Amino acid sequence: MSTLILFLSLAPSGPTADYSYTLTADGHTALRHASAPAALLPEPARPGGEVVAVVPAQALSWQRVQLPQGVPLGTGQQTPRLRSVLEGLLEDQLLDDPAQLHFALQPAARAGEPVWVAVCDRAWLREALQVLEAAGRRVSRVVPEFAPGPTASGQPELFALGTPEEAHLVLCGHGVEQAVAVLPLSSMALGLIGPATNSADTDDAAPPVRAEPAVAALAERTLGRPVVLHTASQRALDAARGDWDLAQFDLASTGRTRALRKAGSAASAFLYAPQWRAARWGAGLLAAAHLVGLNAWAWQERAALAAKQAGVRNALTQTFPKVQVVVDAPVQMERELAALRQAAGSVSPRDLEPLLAAAGAALPAGQLPNALEYSTGELRLRGVTLTAEEQTAVVTRLQAAGYSARLDDGSLLLRAEVAP
């Protein structure tokens, strides 16, 4: 999907503050990365695109709590009651007033189990989002730069970030709880997280180290082993693909907005993301196969219909050779049959005699009409009075003989329903 990923600044936000951003079309490859003020940030280029804000690791504190049973959780259950529960659980673990902090629960958190809670300054985060929204870059998701949990390599990983003057080290997947730790990039700080991080003799056991280009040399000197270059743009892409969304409680979007955003993101991902390329090809081939099949079926149906029409025309011209031009074969055949019948002196079910015979056989004994009206294929008998049971019986008998009948204002109307 088309996504604009930007890092929030640790300094107070403002219209002139620069944001380091990465623009991606598929969530895996950067199209562009640079820095710009909020008003000059690019927009996602495709429908369903989103703006993702990344909270730096230094701005977050990670706390581990166990929520009591019965506390409702989920995107629609982030109520003041749940926030009060979190404030009570974290009050002794935080240095600042909980009322001044923003809380965000880990995805798929469950009551009665230990969960991670991301904590940051509420006013700082709200101001940063408001500045971006005022510049026309409404943030869809807020994600942490690093989050607790298993790493891609399945073991602890180190990231050296910052500048040579303010370098720091981020340890991910640390300990049994797979926590995130942020430390200064110094030999003294490395002793706090174990000897494997800076021992050249234990390269096999040491966690992978990724470093920004600005601090790569410093990290190699401090750790005593080579590092892999890892840019801020790559870090932004990794963070945006995570499951976390720190926009919770008073910063959360409405349920309808979230649903529309997810639907748009899913559609955009299916259309553009590389991992869906095979599915897109499959869907395209399936649609093409259906289109070819429908056209083939329509061609066969047209051919069958044309064959039937040709058969009807041939039957007419072979039966009546004097018919040279076929316009409406059934009507012309009916007309020719009527002419033959008339020439032979025979009658058809539409003539007066068969209609009178059918009426006489169907009417109850003693029912005689006082007037007759005949037109081609239709006979009206006036002065006929029938009860409901008699009317049903008469209609049934006439239908069996191939005629329709109905009682209309003291008269019985018969109409021939069979071809002559």
Side-chain angles (χ1 to χ4, degrees), residues 313-335:
R313 288 193 297 269
N314 290 336
L316 173 61
T317 55
Q318 291 174 4
T319 306
F320 304 100
K322 67 177 184 178
V323 178
Q324 299 297 324
V325 179
V326 179
V327 178
D328 190 337
V331 173
Q332 289 175 278
M333 186 173 291
E334 180 180 346
R335 187 181 303 117

Side-chain angles (χ1 to χ4, degrees), residues 1 13 28 56 81 83 103 127 152 162 199 226 240-241 253 269-270 279 306 311 319 323-324 340 345 370:
M1 76 197 80
S13 301
H28 292 77
R81 177 193 171 195
R83 178 174 173 86
F103 301 140
E127 181 184 7
S199 175
R241 288 195 299 268
S253 303
F270 179 78
T319 306
V323 178
Q324 299 297 324
L340 287 176
N370 54 31

Side-chain angles (χ1 to χ4, degrees), residues 353-379:
E353 293 83 354
L355 285 168
L356 286 174
L363 287 172
Q367 284 285 351
L368 297 175
N370 54 31
L372 300 177
E373 293 180 7
Y374 171 75
S375 61
T376 304
E378 185 175 287
L379 176 65

Side-chain angles (χ1 to χ4, degrees), residues 69-104:
Q69 292 286 357
V71 175
L73 299 175
T75 54
Q77 301 292 337
Q78 293 172 350
T79 60
R81 177 193 171 195
L82 177 58
R83 178 174 173 86
S84 299
V85 171
L86 289 176
E87 289 181 359
L89 293 173
L90 296 171
E91 185 176 6
D92 295 336
Q93 304 179 34
L94 301 173
L95 299 178
D96 297 325
D97 183 3
Q100 300 176 358
L101 301 175
H102 174 72
F103 301 140

Side-chain angles (χ1 to χ4, degrees), residues 3 157 205 230 254 276 362 389 418:
T3 307
E157 296 180 357
H230 193 69
T254 63
W276 289 99
E389 293 79 5
V418 295

Side-chain angles (χ1 to χ4, degrees), residues 59-63 90 94 101-104 117-121 246:
L60 284 174
S61 168
W62 296 97
Q63 305 295 331
L90 296 171
L94 301 173
L101 301 175
H102 174 72
F103 301 140
V117 181
V119 183
C120 68
D121 185 88
L246 304 181

